[in-house]
Amino acid sequence: MELSLSTSSPASPAVLRRQASPLLHNQQVLGVSFASALKPGGALRFRSRRRPLHRPITCSASPSTAEPSSEVKKKTLVRRNDVRNIAIVAHVDHGKTTLVDSMLRQAKVFRDNQVMQERIMDSNDLERERGITILSKNTSITYKNTKVNIIDTPGHSDFGGEVERVLNMVDGVLLVVDSVEGPMPQTRFVLKKALEFGHAVVVVVNKIDRPSARPEFVVNSTFELFIELNATDEQCDFQAIYASGIKGKAGLTPDDLSEDLGPLFEAIIRCVPGPNIEKDGALQMLATNIEYDEHKGRIAIGRLHAGALRKGMDVRVCTSEDSCRFARVSELFVYEKFYRVPADTVEAGDICAVCGIDDIQIGETIADKAHGKPLPTIKVEEPTVKMSFSVNTSPFSGREGKYVTSRNLRDRLNRELERNLAMKVEDGETADTFIISGRGTLHITILIENMRREGYEFMVGPPKVINKRVNDKLLEPYEVATVEVPENHMGPVVELLGKRRGQMFDMQGVGSEGTVFLRYKIPTRGLLGLRNAILTASRGTAILNTVFDSYGPWAGDISTRDLGSLVAFEDGTSTSYALASAQERGQMFVGAGVDVYKGQIVGIHQRPGDLGLNICKKKAATNIRSNKDVTVVLDTPLTYSLDDCIEYIEEDELVEVTPLSIRMCKNPKMAKKGR
């Protein structure tokens, strides 16, 4: 079935898109695909569902169309065709890192007999344990004499600062979308940033081998997202590739995959333009990332925008026109396969690592000594959540940690600021307190986890949102929350989100799996402590994803916790005898034989309000022999992770973080105020 709607005069693609937009929402009813239907000219063509969605690889963002129009630039700017710089962006768990694994294997980066682990790019211990990417990382492959620099980026919105930085280094992105879930909140965030930079986009519909895959819906939803984000006509004319990252297969249609990722590599070479460079211009390189090496010191990573960089070269390091200093490049590296390789010269357009500039910061420009000018610095979105870090004042302080003073804490937090642009550190009310602001609780808890593994010991306060006051009106941050939940558990989840001031704006069922997608706009305050509550309400089956949306009017009071805490009222070691009666009051966090101190939270009360308990009481010794010892049966104590503890605590509570333990306690300063 092919239907042609002709117009009397040729219309632009943008006009055609606007005319077609009412139809896009009814695409499933009509049974037609719009992703590649809108073409320049006077006809709008609809293609039947039975026909494949793909088209031959012809991309609007080809080198010929992307050349600069200025007469001056035509003389100086040239296009490098032997290099491609791409970032792989996607929502969390849509398979970015697994896809990179397959690309590296098929590009023969490793020896045939070399044993490699899964998720090669997730080199950090914390990334492997949690199964998420936290830091962006560089690698490169060579395909048909073209060097492809690949940057793997995080999928969680809390690490959006990493994504915003690396988009400065690339000319195109691979947007990986799950074949069942389609575009998710973080997909929208990273795509919006990529489109603002004017990058070419190749859409990879990943996990195409899933039983309930729905590639047509996913491509059409992605196309709608492009239109919503005001993409240009060239960007909307994206190439869709269907792939299975784990099997290492890709194809132009969902039903006909090649035995390798050849179609994906071809799409990258054809659709992503080479870097547009000023070959004979003055040196310019923006420091986009910072790494540290024990022997080489600080290493600045970025893309060379103009000129050439040589080993031993004298350069100027600029933040702005007025603030510049001089330095010398001691060593120079480029990325080849999975490693950094020494280089004597790097030409414009390539991504490199520079050693020898000990005080360089992210966002500074390495420029020509005589004629260099700074590039625009990197801007990232403002943080939305803050937490307080303070010196550990519990009776157990100093037992396990190596770094326990406020000076140790200050130095470590200042070091974090050098590479974590989306984070801010301010002084608190007292000399030993610091206020840390980040994109979300996960952003800050990753820092806490890294610090405790390095030997730091400190106290952490509850997360609070960062409000704004505009025209005497109090505004608070709102986020878009997407919940994937089985239909039979939908009721309790909807009720819970309603209590947290969430407003549903979309609901849809997914395939044969009986899963429902709920989309809410909800205050960031309402999300604090929500993850555990949703898992409890759905018996562990719900998946919650969030991304920052905008600031909006204050939503009113939100109750995040209904139950109080069980608090130990003396120091000592917990006993089975005392715990047997204590567990009747609620759920315990500690078992028998655990050292506790006065004010430590040892359980969740089954009613609102806190309750003091003595869990160190011993059974009275008598000289009467009993015929039978009473067997004490204790419930298994709750095991809370660092993230769980931070979600649990309220205004007057703290989390004590040490290298070996995570405890919760009442804040002694708040208790004094309360009296």
Side-chain angles (χ1 to χ4, degrees):
M1 177 192 91
E2 189 164 287
L3 173 67
S4 176
L5 299 180
S6 296
T7 57
S8 55
S9 59
S12 72
V15 173
L16 289 173
R17 282 208 315 276
R18 283 195 293 272
Q19 291 170 351
S21 58
L23 297 169
L24 284 166
H25 296 289
N26 302 316
Q27 57 192 320
Q28 283 185 307
V29 179
L30 293 171
V32 294
S33 164
F34 294 85
S36 49
L38 301 171
K39 298 283 185 182
L44 174 63
R45 294 187 177 276
F46 298 83
R47 290 194 290 184
S48 166
R49 271 184 185 277
R50 295 173 196 146
R51 296 201 174 189
L53 276 163
H54 81 284
R55 53 188 185 278
I57 304 179
T58 52
C59 301
S60 300
S62 60
S64 59
T65 59
E67 287 293 335
S69 56
S70 165
E71 288 297 323
V72 179
K73 288 188 176 181
K74 271 186 180 176
K75 294 175 185 175
T76 55
L77 288 186
V78 292
R79 180 82 62 186
R80 274 190 75 175
N81 287 321
D82 60 335
V83 174
R84 298 289 186 276
N85 298 317
I86 61 164
I88 298 191
V89 297
H91 187 81
V92 64
D93 283 340
H94 280 199
K96 298 178 305 300
T97 308
T98 307
L99 185 64
V100 174
D101 281 5
S102 295
M103 292 172 75
L104 290 170
R105 286 195 176 94
Q106 291 188 20
K108 301 293 182 186
V109 169
F110 310 109
R111 299 188 311 271
D112 292 336
N113 62 346
Q114 192 171 351
V115 178
M116 292 308 300
Q117 55 198 359
E118 287 185 3
R119 301 200 322 275
I120 304 155
M121 297 294 278
D122 286 349
S123 50
N124 187 321
D125 288 344
L126 210 50
E127 292 178 319
R128 295 201 154 277
E129 288 172 23
R130 295 186 178 226
I132 60 173
T133 303
I134 296 168
L135 303 170
S136 58
K137 297 171 199 69
N138 299 36
T139 186
S140 82
I141 60 174
T142 303
Y143 181 78
K144 291 186 178 177
N145 300 321
T146 302
K147 181 181 180 182
V148 182
N149 287 309
I150 301 172
I151 305 175
D152 185 22
T153 64
H156 274 281
S157 57
D158 288 30
F159 309 115
E162 290 277 323
V163 181
E164 288 174 70
R165 275 191 292 144
V166 302
L167 289 176
N168 278 282
M169 294 202 288
V170 299
D171 303 291
V173 296
L174 290 189
L175 181 71
V176 182
V177 186
D178 188 284
S179 65
V180 176
E181 295 178 353
M184 296 288 278
Q186 183 66 1
T187 314
R188 184 189 187 92
F189 172 80
V190 293
L191 179 59
K192 181 184 175 189
K193 294 293 174 189
L195 295 176
E196 284 173 3
F197 277 97
H199 293 332
V201 182
V202 176
V203 175
V204 181
V205 182
N206 196 24
K207 304 185 183 179
I208 199 69
D209 50 343
R210 285 182 68 175
S212 52
R214 43 180 190 166
E216 290 188 31
F217 168 81
V218 170
V219 171
N220 289 331
S221 301
T222 308
F223 181 69
E224 285 187 50
L225 186 57
F226 271 74
I227 293 175
E228 281 179 42
L229 298 176
N230 297 319
T232 64
D233 300 328
E234 289 78 15
Q235 288 170 329
C236 282
D237 195 21
F238 60 81
Q239 173 66 48
I241 299 290
Y242 305 89
S244 169
I246 200 161
K247 291 182 178 178
K249 295 181 177 183
L252 295 173
T253 64
D255 306 321
D256 184 21
L257 301 186
S258 301
E259 288 303 308
D260 56 18
L261 292 173
L264 177 59
F265 289 128
E266 291 286 348
I268 291 170
I269 302 300
R270 181 70 69 88
C271 299
V272 177
N276 214 16
I277 60 165
E278 197 176 341
K279 192 171 183 179
D280 302 321
L283 168 68
Q284 280 186 315
M285 174 189 150
L286 188 69
T288 313
N289 209 348
I290 297 286
E291 288 185 6
Y292 187 81
D293 185 275
E294 289 182 8
H295 307 291
K296 298 180 178 63
R298 190 174 290 202
I299 302 171
I301 299 167
R303 190 181 90 177
L304 214 59
H305 286 261
L309 190 59
R310 291 180 296 279
K311 184 178 176 180
M313 186 178 183
D314 290 323
V315 294
R316 180 191 290 187
V317 182
C318 300
T319 308
S320 64
E321 290 276 4
D322 304 324
S323 57
C324 292
R325 59 192 186 279
F326 296 100
R328 173 170 286 187
V329 176
S330 62
E331 288 187 80
L332 202 54
F333 297 89
V334 293
Y335 289 89
E336 281 188 17
K337 299 186 177 178
F338 199 55
Y339 308 100
R340 278 201 298 257
V341 179
D344 293 326
T345 307
V346 177
E347 291 184 9
D350 210 346
I351 292 173
C352 64
V354 180
C355 305
I357 309 172
D358 294 333
D359 57 349
I360 192 164
Q361 302 284 346
I362 290 174
E364 292 187 326
T365 303
I366 299 173
D368 185 75
K369 187 177 180 181
H371 309 290
K373 291 185 177 180
L375 290 160
T377 190
I378 299 170
K379 293 179 181 177
V380 296
E381 292 186 356
E382 292 293 309
T384 56
V385 173
K386 61 183 179 181
M387 291 165 68
S388 66
F389 288 25
S390 58
V391 171
N392 189 2
T393 54
S394 82
F396 294 169
S397 64
R399 285 190 183 185
E400 300 168 1
K402 184 178 175 184
Y403 307 108
V404 295
T405 65
S406 61
R407 183 176 60 82
N408 295 144
L409 208 54
R410 184 188 298 275
D411 291 347
R412 175 64 181 83
L413 292 172
N414 287 336
R415 278 209 313 278
E416 185 68 22
L417 286 181
E418 291 174 2
R419 59 160 301 127
N420 203 333
L421 281 191
M423 195 168 273
K424 290 186 178 178
V425 177
E426 300 166 319
D427 291 331
E429 294 178 1
T430 59
D432 59 357
T433 305
F434 307 94
I435 307 298
I436 316 301
S437 304
R439 283 284 183 85
T441 51
L442 182 65
H443 189 198
I444 303 175
T445 52
I446 292 293
L447 168 64
I448 297 169
E449 186 65 47
N450 280 325
M451 286 175 67
R452 70 180 282 252
R453 292 179 183 211
E454 292 165 17
Y456 287 85
E457 188 175 296
F458 52 99
M459 294 275 206
V460 180
K464 300 175 184 175
V465 300
I466 300 172
N467 299 320
K468 285 183 179 178
R469 192 169 283 279
V470 180
N471 299 330
D472 291 333
K473 288 185 179 179
L474 185 63
L475 304 180
E476 65 173 326
Y478 279 76
E479 301 197 24
V480 172
T482 305
V483 187
E484 184 182 345
V485 62
E487 207 167 344
N488 53 335
H489 294 302
M490 193 175 82
V493 170
V494 169
E495 185 182 352
L496 185 63
L497 286 159
K499 284 182 182 176
R500 302 290 186 110
R501 306 278 180 175
Q503 294 181 339
M504 186 194 296
F505 64 86
D506 188 20
M507 180 175 75
Q508 51 182 262
V510 179
S512 58
E513 295 177 0
T515 305
V516 178
F517 273 104
L518 307 172
R519 294 181 199 272
Y520 278 82
K521 188 172 180 180
I522 184 170
T524 304
R525 278 183 306 137
L527 293 170
L528 303 178
L530 181 64
R531 203 170 297 273
N532 275 336
I534 275 192
L535 286 173
T536 305
S538 64
R539 299 189 180 179
T541 55
I543 299 170
L544 172 68
N545 291 297
T546 60
V547 69
F548 174 73
D549 182 57
S550 60
Y551 273 82
W554 180 261
D557 293 333
I558 297 174
S559 173
T560 55
R561 199 176 88 193
D562 299 327
L563 304 177
S565 299
L566 299 175
V567 184
F569 66 63
E570 71 171 20
D571 301 352
T573 304
S574 59
T575 64
S576 302
Y577 175 73
L579 287 170
S581 56
Q583 69 186 15
E584 295 174 8
R585 308 284 187 178
Q587 292 176 290
M588 306 303 295
F589 289 137
V590 296
V594 177
D595 290 341
V596 296
Y597 55 82
K598 183 179 179 181
Q600 182 178 334
I601 296 171
V602 293
I604 303 174
H605 193 198
Q606 61 191 8
R607 293 190 177 91
D610 297 336
L611 178 67
L613 290 176
N614 183 358
I615 62 166
C616 305
K617 185 168 61 176
K618 295 178 181 175
K619 187 177 181 181
T622 66
N623 59 355
I624 300 170
R625 180 184 294 175
S626 60
N627 295 329
K628 181 181 167 187
D629 287 331
V630 178
T631 305
V632 176
V633 179
L634 296 179
D635 297 335
T636 305
L638 292 172
T639 306
Y640 266 23
S641 66
L642 173 65
D643 300 70
D644 296 334
C645 291
I646 283 170
E647 283 199 348
Y648 175 81
I649 58 172
E650 288 201 321
E651 188 69 29
D652 62 338
E653 296 167 347
L654 297 168
V655 177
E656 179 191 353
V657 179
T658 73
L660 301 179
S661 312
I662 297 169
R663 307 181 190 93
M664 291 178 284
C665 62
K666 302 302 285 187
N667 189 342
K669 293 176 185 175
M670 300 288 280
K672 287 173 188 171
K673 285 180 185 176
R675 288 195 190 102

